[in-house]
């Protein structure tokens, strides 16, 4: 429900065809006229700031999740990548991404390619112009949208952990956050051609999560698996994470942040109907995560006779990704089931990727790509405005674009600066080899 | 001040007798008529969502606190229990608990037993009905109340750590969150018989914390202490937690979440009087935690010549529990003292339980049960509407109900599936025995 | 923009000369008259509560940052100090600090020394008086302002880690939070003489951060460096932190909390202009942190050929401190640059302090003092109302006051109870020596 936010009312009119059930329904209440335009502006703006800081907090969640799931010899590197990628996303989304994603009526190629130029916020105190108070402040919209861009980059770092070089990874992040993410996001949320076709992706199962997943998949294929992950006989060697307490903390942080991720994507909090919808979204988001966690818990018990905490964590995250394309229209029961299917997907997809010798250190491809596809398809079960054809077409278009462009970028990086550390560096750990600094220097290794 | 929220205005009328000082006082301001009904609805609903995500965050707090206070060989298990119990609470409170707790006028046994049936949120956009805008959206109320139910279950997991089997524990959680918690909570917050008698428990010193504590106590008695905790000569062997940084993080998370826990329990943010009351509650909650922490700091210095960090952490939590029954009416000074008494209780109760050979791994019984009782009694010191007789009677009724029913459930679980791991499994740690996965596999143990 | 909040409108009038560009600009919009006074009151009060809990959360951030940057033998002590200092700040700011900082018209020495007496919140439900609804509730203002006082104390604890005794440190915290911080803060934010001169410090680059830094510097000079930090030959021995995952978590927590720190300092959210300004502040705060992190990342790569994670973390924090004196008027680009300069300062200041043999365990002096001074000066680049002379004069006055008074207090503490643990205790670690409790008792040390 996140559409063309930068130009306020004008944009909202363009976007109406995609607004679907929610907006229509909202019209039933008091004509959806907010009781007072300025108050509605304050409510929606404040909501974006709060949702935005929750999504910001997901950057910490990814950091902890990934730091917990890599071996201790690579923890400092993983932390360095995470704080750096967020910072680069912040700068490049400001410099390039934001206007590329929300060109308003300034498209360079209509509905396909937005505009170049840095983000510009309103003047202090909204001075100097007759401000449009029908939506929210540009500052709050920029703050909120930036966090989605950064999330996309966070997804990539987990998959490629423990063997990729720092700087080539960061170069990829710049291209992803300045170009790849904003361009494809403009197709839906900028009011571009996928939006015009009626593609529905409320908070980004496809636009954010699958894009991160596709970029990670392309990277994993070109980068290759970690040394020792797959034996010559084709056996997969489990490489346990070094700190499951951190991984669990990271999952809880992401779960918390997701209330902002999905809730804020309602985009308006100026009427009773809108705030009630945000409440539905919070409740559905929560129960989808619960469904994913419990599905993974039970399934690993049944399949392996022992519950697997890392699967439970990824199950919860897959539940969250699954409900992200449509967190509003499902009932609590439907949301629980949609999330549970996400959990099931993860339990089967992790060994499936291993069979293909695609080494995804933290399980980001099952969680964000596979569950993201599932969630985008699941929209059709609860939202009458969704067309399965359009959903599949959009998944495909976004997937091909992201996978191909990412693959080309990874390939060029590999061919020029190289993307993988040397064998010895990898075995000794990236922390000492690339950074000269251990995360836990005092704890002797078993 | 949390009363019968589901049916809005009608319910509020029933509940008026219990609203006490706060509500009367609020009437002094501008007739407590919110400036605009829809705006009041947005404010209160949004407040519930924010308070709700703060209480959600407490689930992470309990996870970190408990992961830090158990030995490293049981950390994965403790994390698995915590994320699973929250997920089960989310699902079963939706399926059964919510309507059992807030039956409105659908009581099966009047004022004693609510109604069965899953929670149903409003239609998207509040469509299809003339919505009641005098309170908040059902979705936000469900989201907020669910978190209290989950908190109750979180309390139990810490006490029983390091020796209880995973699945029997989770079966207990289902019964606790689907039946025990909602039934007794309906007696007060659902407008049941304790509410009718004038029992005051603003945010749940009794309804949430002591209930968690009673259920934990019943479990601890039937489960027995950990191997090696008490010698044959009657000496208590200290078993230090494996990670005090995580335990401290967990305490800070709980402290933060408690602003939502107590603040949100004001239930309305539609007038200046209500938001000013929420501000009082935030300030009082904070200072009570500070009082509890400093009391425990000084007392352990005096008693043992060395301050004890785990006591300081539990002192802060006990301060929070103590102020939870009445965070509104005390002055800052009174709140500090109420919290400080909670801290003192913890310092004396921990060795007292050990003397009784009741093995409470994280100190949850002192913090949540003993300080919960103290907090419920302390209401009479600052709220003229409270009756000491009613407070004690309600503590007793809720205590007996919870302790007896929990005891029966634990007993049946013990007699059927068994609740305790084998001796060897306990000594080797639950992580390898039950889950086959260590939390810190690389750090060699001292 | 934080000025004389306690007395509402009357105070605001006094403070007008210092409000500067923002307020003037805001007047351009709809006369800055909030659409409704009571609604404006609810908005601003709620904003303070949310910003306040974010700043509260910074206490957890400092705890984790410091626990991660000290050696494992001192972690329990660092955690004990952090939770205790926050608790003491809460109690003493209530008992003394708040009224000393916001005397309204009750100055003991006009514009120089406020009033003594505990904080008193409004009556429950705003009863018993005709409440002033032009600003926010006293409870929310107290809650918000308390957190700034506690932050100042948190800054000190990191610098002096690993060698200072617990109780003398806590005595200093009492004096800092009850007297030193509130007195100098009254000069600006209480409407005192620096405010009258036109000193601009929006959210406290000087008032909070440099004050913490000066107090830490005075302590570090009197306390002396850790044993083994500087060799007789003048070489600096790196002493790596024990847990960089915690340090990174702490940095993310601080970054998150800073949205409340700077955003809440707008002090009003009752108009579209104010909420748009808060949005600018959120965006600028975020990008300044990103600028600081990336500057430190690149600079350490260039200087040392290896990026340094602890410098990146401190770079982000320095970026945040740098933008704190003026987070509103800069453009996104200017904010990024202001933050980046902060990051550069940290990279050069850390070895510079080592050259002076000033042992600052976590880098708090570069981050909070040096970047705080930079940020206070940088106001003149984007805010036409700032005078470089007044900024420098204020930095100097606040610095001399804090450094001298802190120095005297540290000196008296040293001369009486002693501030430093014995040599053996320091070498064995403060945890066992002073507390008898290790943070990670099971992990053998390398």
């Amino acid at each position: 429900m996140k559409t063309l936010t930068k130009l306020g009312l004008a944009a909202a009119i363009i976007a109406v065809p995609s607004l679907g059930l929610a907006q229509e329904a909202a019209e039933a209440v008091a004509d959806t006229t907010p009781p007072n335009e300025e108050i509605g502006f304050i409510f929606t703006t404040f909501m974006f700031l709060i949702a935005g800081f929750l999504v910001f907090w997901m950057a910490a969640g990814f950091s902890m999740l990934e730091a917990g799931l890599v071996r201790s010899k690579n923890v400092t590197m993983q932390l360095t990548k995470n704080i750096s990628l967020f910072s680069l996303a912040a700068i490049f989304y400001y410099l390039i991404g934001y206007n590329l994603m929300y060109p308003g009526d300034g498209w360079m190629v209509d509905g396909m390619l937005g505009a170049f130029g840095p983000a510009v916020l309103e003047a202090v105190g909204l001075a100097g112009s007759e401000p449009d108070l029908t939506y929210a402040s540009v500052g709050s919209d920029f703050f909120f949208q930036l966090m989605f861009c950064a999330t996309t980059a966070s997804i990539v770092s987990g998959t490629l952990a423990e063997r990729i070089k720092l700087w080539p990874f960061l170069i990829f992040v710049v291209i992803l956050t300045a170009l790849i993410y904003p361009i494809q996001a403009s197709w839906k949320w900028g009011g571009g051609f996928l939006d015009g076709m009626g593609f529905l992706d409320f908070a980004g199962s496809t636009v954010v999560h699958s894009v991160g997943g596709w970029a990670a998949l392309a990277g994993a294929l070109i980068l290759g698996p970690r040394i020792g992950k797959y034996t010559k006989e084709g056996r997969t060697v489990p490489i346990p994470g070094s700190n499951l307490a951190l991984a669990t903390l990271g999952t809880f942080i992401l779960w918390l942040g997701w209330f902002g991720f999905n809730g804020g994507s309602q985009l308006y909090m100026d009427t009773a109907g809108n705030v009630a919808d945000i409440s539905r979204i919070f409740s559905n988001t929560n129960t989808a995560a619960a469904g994913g966690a419990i599905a993974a818990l039970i399934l690993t018990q049944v399949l392996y006779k022992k519950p697997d905490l890392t699967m439970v964590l990824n199950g919860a995250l897959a539940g969250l990704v699954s409900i992200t394309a449509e967190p509003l229209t499902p009932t609590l029961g439907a949301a629980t089931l949609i999330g549970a299917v996400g959990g099931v997907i993860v339990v089967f997809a992790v060994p499936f990727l291993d069979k293909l010798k695609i080494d995804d250190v933290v399980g980001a491809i099952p969680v964000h790509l596979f569950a993201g596809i599932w969630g985008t398809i699941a929209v059709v079960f609860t939202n009458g405005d969704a067309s399965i054809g359009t959903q599949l077409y959009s998944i495909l278009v976004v997937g091909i674009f992201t996978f191909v462009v990412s693959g080309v970028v990874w390939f060029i990086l590999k061919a020029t600066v190289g993307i993988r550390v040397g064998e010895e560096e990898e075995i000794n750990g990236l922390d000492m080899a690339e950074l000269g600094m251990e995360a836990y220097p005092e704890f002797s290794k078993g």
Side-chain angles (χ1 to χ4, degrees), chain A:
Chain A
M1 201 61 51
K2 195 182 290 182
T3 305
L4 197 52
T5 60
K6 233 187 60 197
L7 298 187
L9 194 60
I13 291 164
I14 299 169
V16 160
S18 76
L19 290 180
L21 201 58
Q23 212 58 20
E24 280 170 47
E27 274 153 32
V29 185
D31 311 301
T32 57
T33 317
N36 173 298
E37 197 174 84
E38 184 169 6
I39 292 169
F41 179 91
I42 300 174
F43 270 128
T44 298
T45 300
F46 193 41
M47 181 276 287
F48 274 136
L49 295 178
I50 291 170
F53 78 60
L54 288 174
V55 186
F56 163 81
W57 187 224
M58 292 172 72
F62 282 108
S63 299
M64 294 301 111
L65 179 68
E66 296 174 15
L69 291 180
V70 300
R71 286 165 291 180
S72 58
K73 65 184 175 184
N74 296 316
V75 169
T76 306
M77 177 54 92
Q78 210 55 29
L79 297 166
T80 305
K81 280 174 185 160
N82 270 278
I83 194 163
S84 301
L85 77 84
F86 180 85
S87 300
L88 287 171
I91 293 170
F92 283 91
Y93 192 71
Y94 144 60
L95 287 175
I96 300 174
Y98 185 60
N99 277 321
L100 209 45
M101 181 163 162
Y102 292 113
D105 49 9
W107 293 89
M108 296 198 303
V109 182
D110 197 36
M112 300 280 286
L113 187 64
F116 283 91
V120 178
L121 309 184
E122 297 106 334
V124 172
L126 294 175
S129 68
E130 195 64 38
D132 172 10
L133 300 183
T134 55
Y135 179 50
S137 79
V138 174
S140 68
D141 182 66
F142 169 77
F143 181 75
F144 181 67
Q145 294 300 340
L146 154 62
M147 301 307 168
F148 284 70
C149 178
T151 299
T152 310
S154 295
I155 293 165
V156 182
S157 77
T159 296
L160 308 179
E162 304 208 303
R163 63 225 195 260
I164 198 168
K165 284 184 188 174
L166 175 63
W167 288 102
F169 171 74
L170 293 180
I171 294 170
F172 183 83
V173 165
V174 169
I175 294 164
L176 180 69
T177 57
L179 300 172
I180 299 175
Y181 170 79
I183 287 173
Q184 62 80 31
S186 76
W187 298 345
K188 167 63 192 155
W189 292 339
F193 75 100
L194 293 180
D195 191 50
M197 290 178 59
F199 174 44
L200 295 185
D201 189 7
F202 198 98
S205 288
T206 286
V207 175
V208 175
H209 293 281
S210 83
V211 166
W214 287 116
L217 179 61
L221 289 171
I222 292 173
L223 188 61
R226 287 167 292 175
I227 295 170
K229 178 65 188 172
Y230 306 111
T231 64
K232 284 176 189 167
E233 300 79 33
R235 213 168 47 81
T236 299
V237 180
I239 303 182
S242 55
N243 193 328
L244 297 190
L246 282 191
T248 304
L249 175 65
T251 303
F252 272 114
I253 293 174
L254 289 166
W255 193 326
L256 172 60
W258 232 288
F259 297 127
F261 200 94
N262 287 357
S265 295
Q266 174 73 7
L267 300 186
Y268 289 90
M269 204 185 73
D270 55 348
T271 62
N274 276 318
V275 81
D277 283 355
I278 295 174
S279 309
R280 276 184 74 94
I281 294 167
F282 269 57
S283 296
N284 279 337
T285 299
N286 188 62
T287 202
I294 296 300
L297 179 78
I298 292 174
L299 199 58
T300 53
Q301 170 73 46
V302 169
L303 291 177
Y304 307 120
K305 309 299 168 218
K306 288 186 175 175
D308 182 323
L309 174 60
T310 61
M311 286 293 188
V312 174
L313 301 179
N314 272 333
L317 297 176
L320 290 161
V321 171
S322 302
I323 202 66
T324 292
E326 184 48 274
L328 175 60
T329 52
T331 60
L332 285 170
T336 312
L337 291 176
I338 289 167
V341 172
V344 171
I345 287 171
V346 159
V347 174
F348 288 111
V350 168
F352 171 72
L353 281 180
D354 277 333
K355 212 157 274 176
L356 300 177
K357 297 199 191 317
I358 297 170
D359 185 12
D360 177 359
V361 177
V362 304
I365 295 170
V367 166
H368 298 277
L369 176 55
F370 295 174
I373 291 172
W374 153 244
T376 309
I377 293 170
V379 178
V380 300
F381 300 133
T382 66
N383 189 329
D385 288 352
S387 135
I388 179 71
T390 309
Q391 297 299 99
L392 290 173
Y393 175 79
S394 301
I395 291 167
L396 217 68
V397 167
V398 169
I400 291 170
F401 169 77
T402 306
F403 186 76
V404 169
V405 177
S406 298
V408 169
V409 174
W410 286 124
F411 186 81
I412 293 172
L413 286 170
K414 183 176 182 176
T416 53
V417 293
I419 56 177
R420 185 152 184 159
V421 300
E423 193 172 327
E424 199 184 341
E425 281 83 0
E426 184 176 337
I427 290 167
N428 293 336
L430 278 61
D431 288 3
M432 286 314 292
E434 288 232 306
L435 303 174
M437 189 177 280
E438 288 180 275
Y440 312 112
E442 297 180 41
F443 304 148
S444 55
K445 306 308 181 290

